[in-house]
Amino acid sequence: MLDYRVLAEYLLKAEKQKQAVSCISDKVEHFNLEMGYRVQQELVKSKVESGNRVTAYKMGLTSQAKMKQMKVDTPIYGYIFDYMDVPDKGQIRMEDFIHPKVEAELAFILGEDIEGTNVTGEQVLERTQWILPALEIIDSRYENFRFKLPDVVADNTSASRVIFGNRLFQPQDFAVDSIGVSMSLNGEIRASGVSSAVLGNPANSVALLAKMLYEEKKEKMKKGSVILTGGITEAVLLKKGDHVITEYEGMGEVSFQVL
């Protein structure tokens, strides 16, 4: 019988030691998506038992391009923890990672509970109190950032760090599906995109997460929940010395430095 806790500890050790490991799917025959979420569940439980606190949900593979690349037809989800938070204009240390990449996202903060399988993007916007710009740093624990879908789910969707913008915005003040984003590294534009890249509208990403959580766990997202909706831009590989500045149309900048 497969020991999901042992597999979770395998990935936790890789994260702690900053040492890439081979994919679980290379070791476990017929490792599938359901198994991946079982490992993720044990990984999350272990972090919580160690004193860490879940602070946000995160969606992954929310663009058509990424889904096509991974040969999947639905996004995936994971969790952000308190130790992952980096302040805007803050710093990260390269030695704390294996091979970090950064991507630009929008985060939603709910003003009301959301649950069920039939939630729409329009309903999400009605129940969202705030939106804000965010940068997510992903850092796969697998060698060469290569994995199959169940592997990345088990690895908590490569979650590593997050930088939230300092200002909150009301969703009704924006066309949430048409916010332009431009990411510069050391003064050179390296990635750009429009928020519609996230399932046509980032609100649809929140609606899909509500559906997935309810179908799998009968879980609802409570008022105050924070959701990272998925990458608007491609994920850009970071190196020591990089200064990342990302401009969000109508929302200002979010930035950090790599030491």
Side-chain angles (χ1 to χ4, degrees), residues 170-191:
Q170 295 184 319
Q172 58 266 34
D173 292 339
F174 290 84
V176 178
D177 62 347
S178 59
I179 297 171
V181 172
S182 177
M183 181 189 294
S184 297
L185 272 70
N186 311 316
E188 177 188 350
I189 294 177
R190 294 287 301 277

Side-chain angles (χ1 to χ4, degrees), residues 129-131 168-174:
Q129 185 173 15
W130 306 107
I131 59 174
L168 301 172
F169 300 88
Q170 295 184 319
Q172 58 266 34
D173 292 339
F174 290 84

Side-chain angles (χ1 to χ4, degrees), residues 58 66 69 92 94 97-105 135-147 157-163 183 185 190 233-239 242 244 256 258:
K58 61 157 290 190
K66 284 190 177 182
Q69 180 185 6
I92 64 170
M94 197 66 190
F97 304 89
I98 301 169
H99 36 208
K101 298 181 180 182
V102 60
E103 58 188 22
E105 309 197 12
L135 294 174
E136 187 188 0
I137 298 172
I138 56 175
D139 190 29
S140 173
R141 268 55 73 167
Y142 300 118
E143 294 166 347
N144 302 314
F145 234 106
R146 297 173 68 94
F147 43 73
T157 64
S158 305
S160 184
R161 299 290 187 277
V162 63
I163 302 100
M183 181 189 294
L185 272 70
R190 294 287 301 277
T233 64
E234 65 187 272
V236 177
L237 189 65
L238 294 168
K239 66 181 186 302
D242 280 341
V244 180
F256 69 96
V258 184

